[in-house]
Each structure stands twice: as C-alpha cells, then as structure tokens.
C-alpha cells in the first residue's frame, strides 16, 4: 500500500504576532519548528500500516527550507521518501489546493493527515485536499483496517460517546485522531542518519500553480489580541498557602 | 427564502443536539442585526419527530430533506445535500455547530460551494453590516477577529458552549421540503454501523466534584498528586485528551468533545489549556477553578476562579487545606 502522509511544521512558541499588510495573513516570529502533534500521530499510523501490510510511506510537507527538519524526523521514524512543497501558506483551504496539486503528481492508495494544526486550529486542510481530489474521506479516525484490495474499514469518532464504522474505497483520505498509535522516540543516531537522505522539493510552478491562485478569498483579519477576559474570572493571588485557603473558602460555598 | 441566516441542525436518534439550539440563538441574533430572516435545515430520514421538536424553536423557515438514503448517510453525502440546499436557497451566511460532526461537514460543504469557511469560532457578530468572527490561533493563546466578505455564502462553525442557548420567542416555522436529486450525489463510502460507547465503571459524568488534569502535569508519575486532591475534596479525577492519548489515564476519564460531557458543582482544571474541544465538555460546570501558569490560557475564559501559578505549588497546598477542613490533618 502506498501511503502519503501530510505533516505540518508548526512553531513551538510565537512572538511579535501581527496582521500582514493586506490583512490576509498573520505575521509572527516563530521559535523551534516542530512537527504538528496531530500529524505525528498520522505519521505513526502510516508507518504501522506499512509494517503490517508492506508498501511505502511518503511524507509531504509545505513551507520554507526550515521545514526540512520535519521531513528528517519523519524519515528517522520510518518514512521512505520525503517531499517539501516550497510555499508558505497559512490559509487552510489554499493549503488544500496546493496539497492536492502535489498529490496529483504522486502515486498513492491512502492519504493520511492529522485533524488540526496548533497554529491555525481550523481543522480544514485534510478534507479540503480530499474534496479537491474528489476522494472519499473520514475525520477523527481512531482505527484503520485494511479489509480488501481496494477498500479499508475505519472507525471514527462522532462525539457524545459515539463512533461510526465506515468502509471507504481507495484511494481515500483519513484525518487521523490523536492517540491512534503510541508516539515513538527517535534516538539521535537515527536522526543523524536520516539527515543524509535526499529530499525532493516541488515549487508552486512545478505544481502548475500561480501565487495569485492561492490567495485566501472571502475574508480579512481585523485584529489579533490575547483572549479577552469575559470578566467573570476572579484571580486569586498570594502565597500558595494563602491562595489554597482562599480557594477552599470559595469551594465550600458551592458544595 | 432569500437572504437569511441558515442554521444546519444536528440530531441523533430523533433527538436534536443541544448545539443546534445554541446556533439558532446565535443565528437569530445575527439575523436581527441584519434585518433578515432565520432559516434552519434538517436532513435525515423519517424526520417527523425532529421537525416537531424544531418547528417552534424560533426560526422562520424550516427546510427539510427527508430521504431514505439519508437514514445512515456518510459525511460526504450529507455535505453534498447541504451544499445543494445552500445553492438553492442562497442564504447570507451559514451557521453550523463545531461538534465532531460539524468538524467533518464544514470543510466539505465549503469546498463544494467554493465558499470561505471559519471554524472553531468563539463568536460571530455583525459589525457595520459585515459578519465578523472571533476564533483562536496558536493553541488558543491568541484570538483573531476576522471579517467575512459576502462571497460564498460564508460558512461559520461555532464552538459548543460559546453562545448560550437562550430560548427564542416561540413561533411556528413554515416547513418547506427541499428537493435534492439524490441520484446525482456520489455515494462512495458506506457507514456500516454506529456504535455507542459502553458505560464504564467510573462515571465522571455523575460526579459532583471533579479535579481534572492536563498535559501541564508533564509526567505520569505526578498524577497521584491530582488523585490525592480529588480524594481530599471527595470527588473524582478526570483529564484532558492528551493524557489518554499518551496512555497515562483510561479513556473513561476524558472530558470533552470526544470524551464525556460533565457539569459538576465543582470542576478544578489543573494544567489544562482549555482548547475548544475540552471546554465543550465542561463549560456548564457550576464552579470552575483553573490553575495554569499561562495567564492567556483560554481556560480562564470560562473559569470563575483563576490562579496563574505552577500547579505543583498550588495543588499540594489545596490538598492540605482540604484535608485540614475534613480534620484529617491537625492544623
Ligand atoms: C477532533 C478532536 C477532538 C478532541 N477531543 C478532545 C476532548 O474530548 N477532550 C480534550 O481535552 N481535548 C480534545 N481534543 C484536543 C484539544 O484540541 C487539545 O489538544 C487538548 O485539550 C489539550 O490538552 P491540555 O490542555 O491538557 O494540553 P495543552 O494544550 O498542552 O495545555 C497544557 C497547559 O498546561 C499549562 N502548564 C504547563 N505546565 C504547568 C504547570 N507546571 N503548572 C500549571 N500549568 C501548567 C500550560 O500553560 C498549558 O496551558 C480534541 C481535538 C480534536 C482535533
């Protein structure tokens, strides 16, 4: 089975966040790019499926040259090939357009993504990609079972303690839920070895896309700010003992 | 009905999901500020009960797609039907609850319509005639206000619990069937079965007092400290999703969109950031106490009492106080 897994590099912390001129994107200084955790679970699932059924895993990311670290981590964890799309796109629907264009250049039976990224928190890119490729999809997938040559059976969360078992024809795209596999630790030696491996890269023009095709449409940012206090929270200060005593007083009122 | 706000409803087993009433309340507020009507869309099979439950709930028009093929339809089919209804109706804006179901539907509907979509919103309002949403970025430590242009129509998915489900003045909606050519909608995946999670031994949903632990605990070995506080207060310990994903605590302890919904008298959140999927499972708690190092953590949005501090200092002190109060420790 040929699996492509989409993994995003996200900043561990951000500073100097402001709206970019034109209002279509957010500018920030990001520190230490890491693999988006939801996507790391998708990667682990891809590798587990390869171990069980054979095939190969290609990891696909998008971003500047610094996102290569994400690809090396994926290779160290067991991915076979790694591709970076050289584009910096925040809008999730536009990301779907670009990822779909890259996938058209690849061979695959299954595409895995995470559910959401910690920076945009929008949970859109996976299904947007599937829709552009007119591919069946499922969200918040907790189990994947290969049950035929051309089909898979999955379990997904519906919320409220409900799950659905769904059979999908391949190729399909799954937005994998966290916890589907344990996260594996990569020893530094393996990471060093992975850094020797070759990476492929696609430019937007390689994908037949022009910059203006991927400008986010239909909205603009007005303002970015720390979450407003709704005013209901009362903050308790003082030594740990003082805070604890005050808290217990409040707690007793409600019990 | 031209130019109205359209709410996509959610129901299961003949029961309307509470998030739908929140969207209707929000939808009415937006419709009133724009001076337009409020419509809702319900799809499924044998919908009489659901229609009866919805009809008096304050919308002007209730659009219905009732078809055998929608009895157990997958998300793709549902998204196609909704997109078709939106195309026919051309509402000003579409509102959908950001439940797990909404998370799967919203991006697909938007893609089919070529419309902009804003998910995970904490608010939607009308400013100078334009729809403006507020939504989190970067783990929820920042919020952005985003103006939607009238293209699409735009889709807005609002978090559960972000808007109160106020009772709208009752009125009887006009029920209108929408005709969708089901034969033209591709059916690729097949829903085999819907499974309800079995009842667990420990039911946090029944507890009056919950002490909940998040990833801020950092280390599995430290969890007993939280358990001790829960016991000292006479309650149960619960947790956020990452602790279950890491295998540190069993799933039955998880609070949130994909875990349990709880509304105890007291919910103490220790080292929990307050992501929308967590808040949607506990924001109805009577008293929420949050202990978090980060003053911008979104958990403080719903907390009644906040402590911006290291949980490793506050939790033991609170346990000590609680034991003292019970007379277990000589003061
Ligand atoms: C489809 C879907 C469904 C989901 N369902 C759920 C669900 O049901 N339940 C759920 O909880 N999540 C759910 N999530 C995950 C959710 O988005 C968040 O990732 C998760 O809730 C974060 O958990 P957390 O707050 O424990 O961790 P983090 O977000 O990592 O927060 C840790 C917090 O601890 C604080 N902290 C760190 N150290 C200390 C210290 N020493 N003292 C005090 N504070 C400290 C930090 O400031 C931070 O705010 C779901 C996600 C998706 C996409």
């Amino acid at each position: 089975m040929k699996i492509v897994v989409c993994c995003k590099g996200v900043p561990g912390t951000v500073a100097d966040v402001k709206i970019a001129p034109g209002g279509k994107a957010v500018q920030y200084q990001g520190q230490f790019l890491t693999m988006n955790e939801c996507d790391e679970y998708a990667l682990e699932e891809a590798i587990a499926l390869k171990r069980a059924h054979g095939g190969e895993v290609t990891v696909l990311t998008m971003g500047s040259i610094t996102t290569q670290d994400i690809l090396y981590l994926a290779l160290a964890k067991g991915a076979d090939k790694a591709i970076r799309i050289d584009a910096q796109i925040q809008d999730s629907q536009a990301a779907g357009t670009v990822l779909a264009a890259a996938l058209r250049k690849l061979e695959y039976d299954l595409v895995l993504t995470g559910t959401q990224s910690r920076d945009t928190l929008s949970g859109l890119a996976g299904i947007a990609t599937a829709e552009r490729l007119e591919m069946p999809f499922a969200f918040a997938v907790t189990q994947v079972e290969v049950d035929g040559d051309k089909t898979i059976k999955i379990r997904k969360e519906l919320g409220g303690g409900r799950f659905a078992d769904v059979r999908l024809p391949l190729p399909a795209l799954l937005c994998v839920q966290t916890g589907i596999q344990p996260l594996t630790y990569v020893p530094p030696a393996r990471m060093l070895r992975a850094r020797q491996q070759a990476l492929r890269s696609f430019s937007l023009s390689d994908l037949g896309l022009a910059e203006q095709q991927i400008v986010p449409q239909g909205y603009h940012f007005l303002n970015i700010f720390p979450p407003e206090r709704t005013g209901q929270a009362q903050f308790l200060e003082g030594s740990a003992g003082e805070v604890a005593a005050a808290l217990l007083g409040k707690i007793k009122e409600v019990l | 009905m031209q130019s109205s706000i359209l709410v996509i409803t959610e129901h299961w087993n003949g029961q309307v999901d509470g998030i739908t009433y929140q969207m209707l309340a929000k939808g009415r507020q937006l419709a009133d500020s724009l001076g337009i009507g409020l419509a809702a869309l319900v799809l499924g099979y044998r919908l009489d009960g659901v229609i009866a439950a919805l009809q008096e709930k304050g919308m002007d028009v209730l659009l219905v797609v009732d078809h055998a093929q929608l009895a157990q339809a997958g998300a793709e089919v549902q998204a196609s039907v909704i997109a078709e209804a939106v195309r026919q109706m051309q509402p000003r804006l579409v509102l959908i609850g950001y439940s797990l179901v909404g998370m799967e539907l919203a991006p697909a509907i938007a893609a089919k319509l070529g419309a902009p979509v804003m998910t995970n919103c904490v608010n939607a309002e009308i400013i100078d005639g334009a729809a403006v949403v507020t939504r989190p970025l970067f783990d929820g430590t920042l919020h952005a206000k985003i103006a939607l242009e009238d293209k699409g129509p735009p889709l807005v998915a609002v978090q559960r619990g972000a808007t109160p489900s106020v009772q709208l003045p009752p009125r009887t909606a006009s029920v209108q069937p929408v005709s969708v050519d089901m034969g033209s909608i591709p059916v690729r995946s097949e829903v085999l079965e819907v499974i309800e999670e079995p009842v667990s031994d420990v039911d946090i949903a029944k507890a009056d007092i919950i002490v909940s632990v998040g990833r801020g605990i950092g280390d599995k070995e430290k969890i007993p400290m939280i358990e001790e506080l829960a016991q000292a207060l006479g309650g149960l310990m619960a947790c956020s999703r990452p602790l279950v994903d890491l295998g540190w605590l069993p799933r039955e302890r998880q609070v949130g969109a994909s875990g349990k919904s709880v509304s105890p008298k007291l919910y103490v959140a220790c080292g929990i950031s307050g992501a929308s999927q967590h808040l949607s499972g506990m924001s109805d708690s009577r008293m929420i106490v949050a202990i978090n190092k980060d003053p911008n953590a979104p958990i403080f949005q719903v907390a009644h009492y906040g402590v911006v501090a290291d949980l490793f200092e506050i939790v033991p002190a609170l346990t000590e106080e609680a034991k003292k109060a019970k007379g277990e420790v000589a003061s």
Side-chain angles (χ1 to χ4, degrees):
Chain A
M1 170 133 63
K2 289 201 159 91
I3 306 173
V4 178
V5 51
C6 302
C7 294
K8 182 176 184 180
V10 290
T13 60
V14 290
D16 289 337
V17 184
K18 44 182 182 281
I19 298 164
K24 295 288 189 189
V26 177
Q27 273 176 340
Y28 54 85
Q29 278 182 2
Q31 243 140 54
F32 50 88
L33 213 57
T34 58
M35 186 182 290
N36 183 49
E37 192 181 29
C38 292
D39 306 345
E40 193 168 346
Y41 282 105
L43 173 65
E44 299 284 2
E45 178 62 20
I47 292 163
L49 286 170
K50 180 184 90 166
R51 297 228 162 94
H53 305 282
E56 63 171 32
V57 173
T58 301
V59 57
L60 179 63
T61 194
M62 178 157 51
S64 69
I65 194 89
T66 49
T67 49
Q68 285 192 354
D69 283 341
I70 305 307
L71 297 181
Y72 290 129
L73 175 63
L75 290 167
K77 283 194 178 225
D80 303 286
K81 294 178 181 166
I83 304 172
R84 177 176 66 92
I85 306 167
D86 189 24
Q88 292 194 54
I89 291 165
Q90 278 174 16
D91 179 76
S92 310
Q93 287 176 298
T97 303
V98 178
L99 290 170
L103 283 161
R104 284 198 185 94
K105 296 208 165 274
L106 305 173
E107 265 182 62
Y108 56 85
D109 305 297
L110 190 61
V111 181
L112 300 185
T113 72
T115 47
Q116 64 173 23
S117 63
R118 69 183 297 190
D119 50 357
T120 70
L121 292 177
S122 64
L124 288 167
I127 294 174
T129 306
E131 280 285 321
R132 296 216 179 12
L133 296 166
E134 296 184 29
M135 210 181 349
F137 59 81
F139 186 82
V141 171
T142 59
Q143 277 173 39
V144 185
E145 203 182 297
V146 179
D147 77 333
D149 238 12
K150 286 273 163 272
T151 58
I152 48 167
K153 198 176 126 183
I154 61 103
R155 178 164 293 182
K156 68 172 188 184
E157 291 174 350
L158 294 174
R162 294 196 313 278
F163 296 83
D165 285 349
V166 183
R167 178 169 293 127
L168 298 95
L170 297 174
L173 181 143
L174 306 177
C175 304
V176 166
Q177 184 53 291
T178 53
I180 192 166
Q181 294 286 339
L183 296 178
T184 52
Y185 166 74
V186 175
R190 194 140 27 103
M191 195 65 197
L192 277 176
R193 239 179 298 136
R195 286 187 181 278
Q196 311 300 312
Q197 272 177 262
L199 308 176
R200 250 174 104 185
S201 88
F202 289 145
S203 67
L204 283 178
S205 62
D206 290 339
L207 301 178
L209 291 170
E211 202 94 42
Q212 35 314 356
Q213 272 175 281
I214 46 175
V215 176
Q217 296 291 328
Y219 67 87
H220 55 271
F221 286 92
L222 296 175
N223 196 3
I224 291 186
F225 47 92
E228 275 160 8
R229 292 273 156 73
T230 43
Q232 78 165 355
Q234 186 182 325
F235 285 86
L236 304 174
E237 284 166 26
S239 72
E242 286 160 8
V243 167
L247 263 182
L248 199 75
K250 303 290 179 194
I251 286 171
K252 278 189 189 147
E253 287 169 22
V254 78
L255 295 183
Chain B
M1 190 173 52
Q2 280 283 321
S3 172
S4 54
I5 302 288
L6 176 65
V7 168
I8 311 299
T9 64
E10 193 181 326
H11 58 91
W12 168 251
N13 252 352
Q15 298 287 315
V16 177
D17 192 302
I19 201 166
T20 293
Y21 298 122
Q22 297 170 15
M23 295 308 113
L24 285 170
K26 181 42 90 179
R28 176 54 79 190
Q29 196 189 333
L30 298 179
D32 284 352
S33 13
L34 288 165
I36 60 177
L38 176 66
L41 172 66
V42 56
L43 57 154
Y45 184 46
R46 298 199 166 133
L47 289 171
D48 292 351
V50 179
I51 292 171
L54 281 168
Q55 201 181 358
E56 312 281 326
K57 286 297 188 308
M59 79 273 320
D60 305 298
V61 175
L62 181 58
L63 301 169
V64 178
V65 190
D66 194 324
H67 196 285
Q69 254 170 272
L70 293 171
Q72 193 159 277
E76 298 165 62
V77 172
Q78 291 185 24
S80 296
V81 171
I82 295 168
E84 179 51 33
V86 170
R87 256 184 234 115
Q88 288 180 25
M89 186 205 176
Q90 293 297 318
R92 180 75 184 274
L93 181 140
V94 182
L95 267 182
I96 185 168
Y98 200 55
S99 58
L100 264 113
V101 171
M103 288 178 204
E104 189 169 34
L105 287 177
I109 301 166
K112 288 179 199 298
L113 293 170
V117 52
M118 289 293 148
T119 55
N120 213 346
C121 297
V122 296
N123 196 16
E125 60 198 315
I126 304 297
I127 302 178
D128 299 332
V132 172
V133 300
T134 307
R135 64 180 306 284
L137 293 172
F138 301 108
D139 286 342
T141 56
L142 287 167
H143 275 178
K145 265 197 190 336
I146 301 168
L148 293 164
E149 293 147 21
D150 275 329
K151 284 187 191 129
L155 232 86
V156 173
V158 180
Q159 294 178 12
R160 192 188 291 275
T163 34
S165 48
V166 287
Q167 279 273 334
L168 294 175
R171 63 178 97 194
T172 308
S174 105
V175 178
Q176 299 176 7
V178 184
S179 106
V180 175
D181 175 12
M182 292 301 297
S184 69
I185 291 172
V187 184
R188 293 170 297 201
S189 40
E190 180 194 356
V191 179
L192 303 169
E193 196 184 351
V194 174
I195 303 139
E196 307 252 4
E197 201 153 39
V199 213
S200 49
D201 294 347
V202 182
D203 192 358
I204 53 170
K206 293 215 176 82
D208 272 343
I209 300 169
I210 290 177
V211 180
S212 198
V213 54
R215 193 161 23 195
I217 193 83
D219 182 355
K220 187 182 179 187
E221 306 303 315
K222 302 277 170 54
I223 292 177
M225 185 177 105
I226 305 293
E227 177 76 65
E228 204 183 336
L229 175 57
Q231 273 173 16
L233 290 171
L236 285 180
M237 176 174 65
C239 65
S240 65
R241 175 158 190 135
L243 272 68
V244 177
D245 291 337
L246 289 163
W248 292 1
L249 283 170
R251 187 153 303 278
E252 64 200 33
R253 300 274 176 167
Q254 182 190 321
V255 170
S258 55
K260 293 232 168 83
S261 282
V262 300
S263 47
K265 288 184 185 156
L266 172 68
Y267 190 91
V268 185
C270 310
I272 292 177
S273 65
S276 63
Q277 294 93 353
H278 188 81
L279 299 187
S280 68
M282 47 63 75
S283 59
D284 283 343
S285 305
R286 174 126 33 111
M287 182 193 276
I288 299 170
V289 174
I291 305 165
N292 195 303
K293 282 203 295 205
D294 179 359
N296 289 333
I299 189 76
F300 290 127
Q301 300 275 300
V302 300
H304 302 94
Y305 295 98
V307 185
V308 180
D310 190 338
L311 73 90
F312 295 107
E313 286 171 19
I314 305 298
V315 170
L318 191 54
T319 309
E320 187 76 10
E321 282 295 324
K323 284 185 176 167
K324 236 194 268 175
K326 286 204 298 188
E328 283 180 16
V329 173
S331 42

